[in-house]
Amino acid sequence: MKEIIIKNGFIVNAGEEFHGDILVSDGKIKAIGAALDVAESEVEVIEAKGLTVTPGGVDPHVHMELPVGDGLVSSDDFETGTRAALAGGTTTIIDFVTPEPGQPLVRALEERKAAARKSLCDYGLHMSITAWEESIPQQVKQCIEKEGTPSFKVYMAYKQAIGLDDGPMIRVMDTVGRAGGRVMVHCEPGELVDYLRERFIAEGKTAPRYHPLSRPPEFEKEAVVRALMMGRKTDCPLYIVHVSTIGAAAAVVEYARAYKHDVFAETCPHYLLLQDSLYAKPGFAGAAYVMSPPLRGDGHNDFLWKALEENQLDVVATDHCPFHMKGQKDRGKENFTLIPNGVAGVEHRMGLIYTFGVVPGVLSLCRWVDVCAAAPARIFGLYPRKGVLCEGADADIVLWDTSKETVISAQTHVTNCDTNIYEGMPLKAVPHMVIANGKIVMEKGRVSAQKGNGRFLYRQKNKL
Ligand code: URP
Ligand code: ZN
């Protein structure tokens, strides 16, 4: 395959920015520098003058084709969801394996890998542990040492299905910490949430606006503190997913500072940009925003932005898990607890964080690249293969046009969902071209990557 040179771009990594060129050969970055000396007749030249050039985004928290019971499955499968990712400049996703009760972890991993094979971009998988049993330590070791899956998720919510009680959870942390992995925690106290949900329904409070009231901010904070405490007692590296509140973010910061514990935390675009007043939209429209944890009230958005700016939150991931309003979310028309939880985000994450973070000066360009690409790659064992433009890295490169503006709409988005929670919001950075593993996979809005182009990523164990 002919080598490619990307010339005269404004190159941005998490730790540097400069005008320069990138030479791509055989799917990798062969050279990068201020003015590469390459005979242009022998290479394909891509002119990037006026464009901002970043590593492809890494979204470490997505749920493609996630079954959530009663025959409902999140509406983006691995094909449509990764097409949406590429359209928005994200070239790597990490999804989840959720074993059936009693199913060996590696068998569940094989099944999920088979489903993910149709991905258009590269993908890794985190392993969820939904029950404790004696063979978990040996299975965890196998996931880390042989299967390239060194991150494990536990849920404190969803107790009837996949949630763990404290006893099993601390055992998982102990096991994973010893084996060199990292535990990701969904921090909401399941029993308390279930109690409030049942109470509201019994009182006839069935509308979407009761969803956030059943999962109040103090619940998240309590669960985060409990998870952090267990992580410290077991010396287990942690990653707190989808932090949505001031209390939870402050707890992570205080804890990491006080104990120098290896803990990272992510937030999501919806917690930075949207508020819980949306649940009160007329009729059933508030259902579009039902995700867990829910959107929050005044003050939380600003606090999370500040925490990102000050390096206290580490990653912006999406928790991408869309459901159509028609035929999916509307299952909960008479009962908000039956609304499938989840929203889309993978397509617009990088554009939104640029528009509402970089443009107003809250985040630098480097910090944008850090939270959307470099940090998730580092934390989850993909660095420096992903998340950075450097010699030897996979040639996952995005050329952004920041002189154009588009407006988000469900009419035009690539994601397979009949609504978009960011409808009408502007995007001030538009991917002009996306290159994945050295091939142009998106140009001027058209994704050309083929089903199955993505590869499973074997990730390294924790060595931070
Ligand atoms: O509402 C959410 N977050 N849905 C996706 C599943 C999960 O809890 O991560
Ligand atoms: Zn999730």
Side-chain angles (χ1 to χ4, degrees):
M1 201 183 9
K2 213 171 178 189
E3 291 185 340
I4 298 176
I5 188 160
I6 301 163
K7 283 197 77 77
N8 305 313
F10 185 58
I11 295 170
V12 183
N13 270 321
E16 59 181 353
E17 47 181 51
F18 59 96
H19 287 277
D21 309 334
I22 303 173
L23 182 64
V24 171
S25 181
D26 212 11
K28 302 270 181 197
I29 296 179
K30 187 174 174 186
I32 177 165
L36 296 181
D37 187 13
V38 174
E40 289 192 9
S41 55
E42 282 161 31
V43 296
E44 180 182 342
V45 178
I46 296 172
E47 180 56 54
K49 198 169 167 47
L51 301 174
T52 301
V53 182
T54 71
V58 178
D59 188 340
H61 187 162
V62 302
H63 304 273
M64 306 304 177
E65 51 189 271
L66 177 73
V68 292
D70 291 333
L72 279 177
V73 179
S74 60
S75 59
D76 255 332
D77 64 17
F78 278 98
E79 182 183 354
T80 61
T82 52
R83 183 173 293 120
L86 288 175
T90 287
T91 51
T92 300
I93 56 155
I94 314 182
D95 202 291
F96 295 83
V97 183
T98 311
E100 296 293 333
Q103 189 182 29
L105 304 186
V106 172
R107 193 154 316 142
L109 176 64
E110 288 312 322
E111 280 183 22
R112 195 69 176 153
K113 275 165 94 170
R117 224 157 266 148
K118 54 184 177 287
S119 295
L120 276 63
C121 73
D122 287 354
Y123 53 93
L125 292 168
H126 307 288
M127 176 60 67
S128 307
I129 300 186
T130 59
W132 175 261
E133 46 121 339
E134 256 178 36
S135 68
I136 289 287
Q138 169 267 319
Q139 296 190 57
V140 161
K141 197 160 178 258
Q142 186 176 356
C143 287
I144 296 176
E145 302 295 341
K146 295 216 173 82
E147 307 294 339
T149 302
S151 44
F152 299 82
K153 179 150 180 211
V154 293
Y155 294 84
M156 296 170 85
Y158 311 132
K159 282 288 168 69
Q160 287 92 345
I162 52 176
L164 284 186
D165 290 334
D166 290 354
M169 192 165 116
I170 199 163
R171 283 179 176 78
V172 169
M173 288 188 187
D174 188 22
T175 300
V176 170
R178 284 175 199 275
R182 180 175 300 278
V183 170
M184 310 166 76
V185 196
H186 176 133
C187 294
E188 290 186 297
E191 282 101 339
L192 305 189
V193 170
D194 290 342
Y195 162 73
L196 285 184
R197 280 156 63 98
E198 280 164 29
R199 199 176 89 187
F200 286 142
I201 296 304
E203 292 170 353
K205 295 171 176 166
T206 59
R209 69 174 183 279
Y210 293 102
H211 172 70
L213 299 179
S214 69
R215 314 178 97 97
E218 57 271 35
F219 277 17
E220 185 187 47
K221 179 181 172 182
E222 184 280 330
V224 165
V225 171
R226 195 150 34 101
L228 291 169
M229 189 177 65
M230 290 192 229
R232 189 167 87 91
K233 289 293 169 218
T234 53
D235 208 12
C236 175
L238 294 184
Y239 180 89
I240 310 295
V241 297
H242 46 50
V243 169
S244 69
T245 56
I246 297 171
V252 173
V253 173
E254 248 173 59
Y255 202 89
R257 195 176 294 147
Y259 301 116
K260 308 222 171 338
H261 190 63
D262 178 354
V263 50
F264 293 97
E266 75 177 21
T267 189
C268 309
H270 41 275
Y271 302 124
L272 292 162
L273 296 169
L274 304 176
Q275 293 199 356
D276 59 1
S277 51
L278 290 160
Y279 293 112
K281 275 189 155 190
F284 189 64
Y289 308 90
V290 167
M291 82 291 280
S292 293
L295 300 175
R296 305 300 187 178
D298 230 12
H300 293 278
N301 298 153
D302 288 349
F303 191 91
L304 296 176
W305 276 116
K306 192 111 196 85
L308 264 186
E309 180 187 2
E310 294 176 353
N311 298 345
Q312 293 170 343
L313 288 173
D314 306 285
V315 170
V316 179
T318 60
D319 200 5
H320 181 85
C321 188
F323 292 94
H324 296 299
M325 280 293 271
K326 202 165 176 309
Q328 296 196 303
K329 294 254 185 198
D330 60 8
R331 295 258 189 116
K333 252 201 158 124
E334 311 301 330
N335 178 341
F336 76 89
T337 70
L338 301 179
I339 301 169
N341 281 212
V343 296
V346 75
E347 181 175 352
H348 298 122
R349 175 185 66 133
M350 294 194 73
L352 285 167
I353 300 308
Y354 179 90
T355 306
F356 295 96
V358 177
V359 172
V362 178
L363 304 183
S364 66
L365 279 170
C366 290
R367 187 76 185 127
W368 174 50
V369 169
D370 198 22
V371 300
C372 291
R378 273 196 312 270
I379 293 167
F380 291 112
L382 290 170
Y383 198 89
R385 179 174 172 190
K386 304 287 188 188
V388 60
L389 299 172
C390 69
E391 203 181 302
D394 285 354
D396 295 346
I397 305 168
V398 186
L399 280 57
W400 297 90
D401 188 341
T402 56
S403 68
K404 278 208 184 116
E405 181 168 322
T406 56
V407 174
I408 296 178
S409 170
Q411 302 298 313
T412 50
H413 69 195
V414 176
T415 295
N416 179 34
C417 188
D418 61 5
T419 39
N420 193 307
I421 58 169
Y422 305 106
E423 186 77 33
M425 285 195 178
L427 290 178
K428 292 176 190 277
V430 179
H432 167 81
M433 179 183 286
V434 179
I435 295 170
N437 293 309
K439 292 198 190 92
I440 298 171
V441 290
M442 200 287 297
E443 203 173 356
K444 294 183 195 138
R446 217 189 72 77
V447 176
S448 55
Q450 297 300 307
K451 184 174 172 179
N453 273 177
R455 303 165 307 179
F456 176 72
L457 296 168
Y458 287 82
R459 295 178 290 119
Q460 301 144 18
K461 66 200 270 188
N462 189 40
K463 55 175 186 207
L464 288 161

